[in-house]
mmCIF file of all heavy atoms in Angstrom:
data_model
loop_
_atom_site.group_PDB
_atom_site.id
_atom_site.type_symbol
_atom_site.label_atom_id
_atom_site.label_comp_id
_atom_site.label_asym_id
_atom_site.label_seq_id
_atom_site.Cartn_x
_atom_site.Cartn_y
_atom_site.Cartn_z
ATOM 1 N N LEU A 1283 42.219 -20.317 -18.366
ATOM 2 C CA LEU A 1283 42.476 -20.204 -19.841
ATOM 3 C C LEU A 1283 41.616 -19.122 -20.407
ATOM 4 O O LEU A 1283 42.187 -18.352 -21.211
ATOM 5 C CB LEU A 1283 42.241 -21.582 -20.434
ATOM 6 C CG LEU A 1283 42.464 -21.685 -21.904
ATOM 7 C CD1 LEU A 1283 43.874 -21.414 -22.256
ATOM 8 C CD2 LEU A 1283 42.098 -23.110 -22.448
ATOM 9 N N LEU A 1284 40.369 -19.116 -20.124
ATOM 10 C CA LEU A 1284 39.426 -18.092 -20.602
ATOM 11 C C LEU A 1284 39.968 -16.730 -20.226
ATOM 12 O O LEU A 1284 39.945 -15.734 -21.084
ATOM 13 C CB LEU A 1284 38.025 -18.301 -20.136
ATOM 14 C CG LEU A 1284 37.187 -19.381 -20.755
ATOM 15 C CD1 LEU A 1284 35.882 -19.597 -20.088
ATOM 16 C CD2 LEU A 1284 37.061 -19.165 -22.302
ATOM 17 N N MET A 1285 40.409 -16.576 -19.048
ATOM 18 C CA MET A 1285 40.797 -15.157 -18.500
ATOM 19 C C MET A 1285 42.067 -14.767 -19.129
ATOM 20 O O MET A 1285 42.459 -13.594 -19.138
ATOM 21 C CB MET A 1285 40.906 -15.220 -17.039
ATOM 22 C CG MET A 1285 39.617 -15.434 -16.311
ATOM 23 S SD MET A 1285 39.703 -15.254 -14.488
ATOM 24 C CE MET A 1285 39.876 -13.469 -14.319
ATOM 25 N N ALA A 1286 42.945 -15.776 -19.697
ATOM 26 C CA ALA A 1286 44.061 -15.291 -20.318
ATOM 27 C C ALA A 1286 43.914 -14.885 -21.772
ATOM 28 O O ALA A 1286 44.655 -14.148 -22.343
ATOM 29 C CB ALA A 1286 45.148 -16.510 -20.324
ATOM 30 N N VAL A 1287 42.837 -15.318 -22.325
ATOM 31 C CA VAL A 1287 42.518 -14.980 -23.748
ATOM 32 C C VAL A 1287 42.504 -13.458 -24.055
ATOM 33 O O VAL A 1287 43.014 -12.981 -25.027
ATOM 34 C CB VAL A 1287 41.291 -15.668 -24.345
ATOM 35 C CG1 VAL A 1287 40.845 -15.150 -25.636
ATOM 36 C CG2 VAL A 1287 41.404 -17.195 -24.354
ATOM 37 N N PRO A 1288 41.883 -12.617 -23.176
ATOM 38 C CA PRO A 1288 41.822 -11.202 -23.497
ATOM 39 C C PRO A 1288 43.176 -10.589 -23.530
ATOM 40 O O PRO A 1288 43.299 -9.406 -24.026
ATOM 41 C CB PRO A 1288 41.140 -10.619 -22.188
ATOM 42 C CG PRO A 1288 40.161 -11.724 -21.848
ATOM 43 C CD PRO A 1288 40.995 -12.996 -22.047
ATOM 44 N N PHE A 1289 44.268 -11.205 -23.030
ATOM 45 C CA PHE A 1289 45.592 -10.582 -23.153
ATOM 46 C C PHE A 1289 46.300 -11.005 -24.442
ATOM 47 O O PHE A 1289 47.505 -10.631 -24.662
ATOM 48 C CB PHE A 1289 46.464 -11.081 -21.972
ATOM 49 C CG PHE A 1289 45.896 -10.521 -20.636
ATOM 50 C CD1 PHE A 1289 45.121 -11.293 -19.863
ATOM 51 C CD2 PHE A 1289 46.174 -9.243 -20.309
ATOM 52 C CE1 PHE A 1289 44.593 -10.778 -18.674
ATOM 53 C CE2 PHE A 1289 45.695 -8.793 -19.099
ATOM 54 C CZ PHE A 1289 45.033 -9.467 -18.329
ATOM 55 N N LEU A 1290 45.687 -11.807 -25.336
ATOM 56 C CA LEU A 1290 46.276 -12.211 -26.616
ATOM 57 C C LEU A 1290 46.641 -10.983 -27.506
ATOM 58 O O LEU A 1290 47.781 -11.003 -28.142
ATOM 59 C CB LEU A 1290 45.292 -13.044 -27.424
ATOM 60 C CG LEU A 1290 45.185 -14.444 -26.871
ATOM 61 C CD1 LEU A 1290 44.064 -15.210 -27.669
ATOM 62 C CD2 LEU A 1290 46.462 -15.281 -26.917
ATOM 63 N N PRO A 1291 45.977 -9.799 -27.458
ATOM 64 C CA PRO A 1291 46.377 -8.711 -28.243
ATOM 65 C C PRO A 1291 47.753 -8.158 -27.827
ATOM 66 O O PRO A 1291 48.351 -7.356 -28.547
ATOM 67 C CB PRO A 1291 45.207 -7.619 -28.029
ATOM 68 C CG PRO A 1291 44.032 -8.463 -27.695
ATOM 69 C CD PRO A 1291 44.638 -9.540 -26.902
ATOM 70 N N LEU A 1292 48.307 -8.432 -26.579
ATOM 71 C CA LEU A 1292 49.567 -8.057 -26.237
ATOM 72 C C LEU A 1292 50.693 -8.708 -27.150
ATOM 73 O O LEU A 1292 51.797 -8.191 -27.021
ATOM 74 C CB LEU A 1292 49.836 -8.409 -24.753
ATOM 75 C CG LEU A 1292 48.878 -7.683 -23.730
ATOM 76 C CD1 LEU A 1292 49.147 -8.170 -22.339
ATOM 77 C CD2 LEU A 1292 49.051 -6.169 -23.815
ATOM 78 N N LEU A 1293 50.395 -9.808 -27.674
ATOM 79 C CA LEU A 1293 51.382 -10.434 -28.510
ATOM 80 C C LEU A 1293 51.450 -9.829 -29.845
ATOM 81 O O LEU A 1293 50.556 -9.031 -30.275
ATOM 82 C CB LEU A 1293 51.003 -11.919 -28.677
ATOM 83 C CG LEU A 1293 50.732 -12.685 -27.374
ATOM 84 C CD1 LEU A 1293 50.330 -14.095 -27.731
ATOM 85 C CD2 LEU A 1293 51.961 -12.735 -26.516
ATOM 86 N N ARG A 1294 52.551 -10.003 -30.611
ATOM 87 C CA ARG A 1294 52.708 -9.547 -31.961
ATOM 88 C C ARG A 1294 52.166 -10.495 -32.903
ATOM 89 O O ARG A 1294 52.527 -11.602 -33.000
ATOM 90 C CB ARG A 1294 54.225 -9.310 -32.221
ATOM 91 C CG ARG A 1294 54.890 -8.254 -31.239
ATOM 92 C CD ARG A 1294 56.296 -8.042 -31.640
ATOM 93 N NE ARG A 1294 57.019 -7.036 -30.791
ATOM 94 C CZ ARG A 1294 56.813 -5.701 -30.919
ATOM 95 N NH1 ARG A 1294 56.056 -5.183 -31.839
ATOM 96 N NH2 ARG A 1294 57.382 -4.941 -29.983
ATOM 97 N N TRP A 1295 51.287 -9.984 -33.817
ATOM 98 C CA TRP A 1295 50.655 -10.835 -34.828
ATOM 99 C C TRP A 1295 51.163 -10.311 -36.203
ATOM 100 O O TRP A 1295 51.469 -9.110 -36.392
ATOM 101 C CB TRP A 1295 49.155 -10.632 -34.773
ATOM 102 C CG TRP A 1295 48.598 -11.151 -33.441
ATOM 103 C CD1 TRP A 1295 48.308 -10.374 -32.270
ATOM 104 C CD2 TRP A 1295 48.445 -12.494 -33.012
ATOM 105 N NE1 TRP A 1295 47.950 -11.198 -31.301
ATOM 106 C CE2 TRP A 1295 47.990 -12.477 -31.719
ATOM 107 C CE3 TRP A 1295 48.624 -13.738 -33.699
ATOM 108 C CZ2 TRP A 1295 47.640 -13.720 -31.013
ATOM 109 C CZ3 TRP A 1295 48.290 -14.940 -33.019
ATOM 110 C CH2 TRP A 1295 47.848 -14.863 -31.736
ATOM 111 N N PRO A 1296 51.170 -11.226 -37.146
ATOM 112 C CA PRO A 1296 51.851 -10.891 -38.516
ATOM 113 C C PRO A 1296 51.111 -9.944 -39.367
ATOM 114 O O PRO A 1296 51.568 -9.326 -40.218
ATOM 115 C CB PRO A 1296 51.968 -12.269 -39.176
ATOM 116 C CG PRO A 1296 50.880 -13.098 -38.501
ATOM 117 C CD PRO A 1296 50.895 -12.652 -36.977
#
Side-chain angles (χ1 to χ4, degrees):
L1283 179 61
L1284 285 176
M1285 295 186 72
V1287 170
F1289 295 98
L1290 288 175
L1292 296 175
L1293 306 176
R1294 295 186 182 278
W1295 297 99

